[in-house]
Amino acid sequence: MSLTESQAVFASVHENALNDVLTAFCTDRPRYLVYGSPAFVPATTIAETGMAAIAFPGIAGGIQWRVRLSIPRIDLFKQTMTLPPELALGPGQFSVRLGAEICLDCGRIRIDPKPPRGHDTKPDDREPNRPLPGTPKPDDRHPLREVTCCKLEVFAIGHIEHVLTSSGEDAITLVPDAVEIVDIKPDEVESVLECLLFMILQAVLGQIRLPLKSLRAGAFSLTLTEGPLIEDDQVKVRGAF
Amino acid sequence: MAEITAALDEGGANTLLADAIATIGTQTKSGSGSLGPFIANYTVQGTLTSGTVDLIPPDTIRIANLRLDWQLDFDFGIDLSTILPDFCLPQVCVDIPCVGTVCTPKICVDWPTITVPVSFGDFVKVTVDTKLDIALSGGKWRVQAVVLGVPNLQFGATTALLLAAIGAAVTPVLLAVPFIGPFLAIAVDAILATIAIAGVTGFLGPIITPFVSGLKFLIYEQPQQFEVLPADGPVDPKVDITIDTVDCVVAHNGTEDELVLTADISP
Amino acid sequence: MIDHFDSRALGRTDCYGQRFMKTGTYRYNVLPAGGDALNDERPFVIQVKERSASNKMNQYTVFIKPGPKMTVEPPELAIEAGDLVLWNCATGPAMPCMVVGDKEFFNSARLVNESGYSHAFGTAGEYEWVDAYGSGARGVVRVRHPECKSSRDYQQWREQLSRGTVVMISDAKAEPREVEIMTGQTVFFGIVKGPGISITDKRLVIASACARDAQAYRREASADRR
């Protein structure tokens, strides 16, 4: 069987090269792997993307957070990378493995005894924050402020889609279909985290649009008519010259 | 297995080579050459048009009927004293009324050296074999199809036509030479016989052949530091990869001959 | 292409003839055409002595040798009154030249009495000639191509080359006014009497103030030397 088959041009990129390109992208534009609220990321730079804090009543400035992802590692069908049993790599699919660190800026909120604005109450002459007699001593487990993080290993399977870059070039993007985080208990917590990371992964990978021209190292010209297809550890395309 | 593979079938290769040849555009060369016993200074322009591509494994691209349209402008000097015999006006005596006989001396004419400008154009078709040449130079990867050997260009009827064009160009120049009138046909014939078809062939060959011999058609050219994405604002710099190796062959895959370019990259 | 036909500028196939009717020493020079305005030297000599008993006019031919400084052979010539001296360029290629003496009549650029000019025509065509100095003298020379095809044609043509044609000019009238010859043949223009004329292809006459000024300057320079 010829490479071009019924078309004039054929191009393929092996998963090793795809990983090289992804590594290059994430190394040159690391902000696509690091997102945080102002306490962690005061402003968007090449290194990190600034986001809003999670607003919550009573928490001045909102809940400060940060997500840091490692450089994704892709495996194209046929499977060579180990996956958790919950995921199975099928024809035309890719799997991805990456690390995710989620951090929160955890801290104590100072309770103001004064009535909140707009409420009419009896004056209280007690000293502020002084416990009532007989009240047990407060738990000092949480200091005033503390960054609390967790690291997760994330697996996902997905498919690739044909998209256009901002300059109108043919490109591909990786679209996750399912995410698995191993051994989080209870299962409901695992499901919540998988949902969170599924949405984050869709968004992050969706921003990475790799031009087809780059994936064939600029060789020849190709007007896409077939693909992109995943097979034989490669992404393959065919078209007219 | 190569990390990146790109392949063209023969139809695609035809288009690729046609584009590569078209980008060469019109080339101009100047110099001097031997036109029979005369030295001619010339300027020649050549424009190539691709023919039919045949991919031959493992590394040959044959282009059949590669067409070279050429336009030649040249001039050459002829010392007419080497073409024509010495010519002398005899003594002329006349009777002047009331004076007597007055005679001029014998006057010999010196044939001058003339310069003949000629302009002529034609085309030639040739079949060439090219070999793939891959090189990294000046930070750029290049794959070129290089014409092998020195093609033997067959000029055919062109030589006779050029000889006729020389004859047509010589005539008005000769007419400007005093006393040549009666000898014009003799002079033109003598000049053309001196040059002859062999002289024209010997003149054209070294001038036209270099347009084809050693020609290089660019198949692939990219910087080793390859830009995947351009910069897109102050917080999104460009994304580069390194093309570590490039190879290019003609492969027979299935029932097709294909031009296959492979590359390995690193971040 | 036209044949350069101008008695003011003698070429390879031109001759200038001058009869010297009076005894004396006539000094002259051979210069590039128009050079008399810049050069007063007269290094060559025609020595004219009394005529002997014979009435036959003798002709002497002086050959002009081209070079950075033109010379003549012989540089000194002794003749008798009434004899003719003919000047011609011995070898070519020659810069168009003039023969100019220290007497007004003795000037190839301006033919006065008892002088002549011959020209062998090398190119076919119709040559209307005029006096560049405006006396009104004019005529036509028609030069025909011989159409030689065989060696016999060439032989016949070569034989005709030794036959010349004469045009006599007196008081600005040329007789005959129109002549017809073949390529290679010679026309003699004999000036019997005139104010000082030239035999010039009409196409070469520059009808401009500059040319007229140059001619006037030459006449003044010539008058000053005398």
Side-chain angles (χ1 to χ4, degrees), chain B residues 56-132:
Chain B
I56 304 171
D59 58 0
T60 298
I61 302 176
R62 177 167 295 163
I63 308 173
N65 294 320
L66 176 67
R67 178 176 165 135
L68 173 67
D69 286 274
W70 50 272
Q71 176 62 41
L72 179 62
D73 293 293
F74 66 94
D75 60 67
F76 63 103
I78 307 174
D79 180 357
L80 289 176
S81 64
T82 64
I83 301 289
L84 297 169
D86 291 341
F87 172 68
C88 296
L89 297 170
Q91 185 180 60
V92 179
C93 293
V94 292
D95 286 321
I96 306 290
C98 305
V99 172
T101 302
V102 177
C103 296
T104 65
K106 178 177 164 184
I107 299 173
C108 291
V109 172
D110 298 313
W111 298 119
T113 296
I114 58 170
T115 298
V116 181
V118 183
S119 193
F120 185 80
D122 203 353
F123 71 92
V124 65
K125 284 189 175 181
V126 65
T127 294
V128 297
D129 279 355
T130 67
K131 278 277 189 283
L132 294 168

Side-chain angles (χ1 to χ4, degrees), chain A residues 4-7 222-229 236-240:
Chain A
T4 55
E5 292 181 357
S6 61
Q7 302 301 313
L222 187 151
T223 302
L224 191 66
T225 56
E226 288 179 20
L229 306 164
K236 298 180 180 178
V237 291
R238 290 184 180 84

Side-chain angles (χ1 to χ4, degrees), chain B residues 87 89-92 94 96-99 101-105 107-108 110 176 178-179 181-183 186, chain C residues 1 12-13 19 57 59 84 86 88 92 120-123 145-146 154 157 161-162 164 166 184 186 188:
Chain B
F87 172 68
L89 297 170
Q91 185 180 60
V92 179
V94 292
I96 306 290
C98 305
V99 172
T101 302
V102 177
C103 296
T104 65
I107 299 173
C108 291
D110 298 313
F179 302 100
F183 306 109
I186 295 173
Chain C
M1 175 69 182
R12 180 83 180 91
T13 61
R19 285 183 82 189
M57 180 201 74
Q59 178 189 321
L84 173 76
L86 195 79
N88 170 249
F121 286 82
T123 309
H145 190 62
Y154 278 104
W157 170 65
L161 294 183
S162 58
V166 177
T186 301
F188 274 83

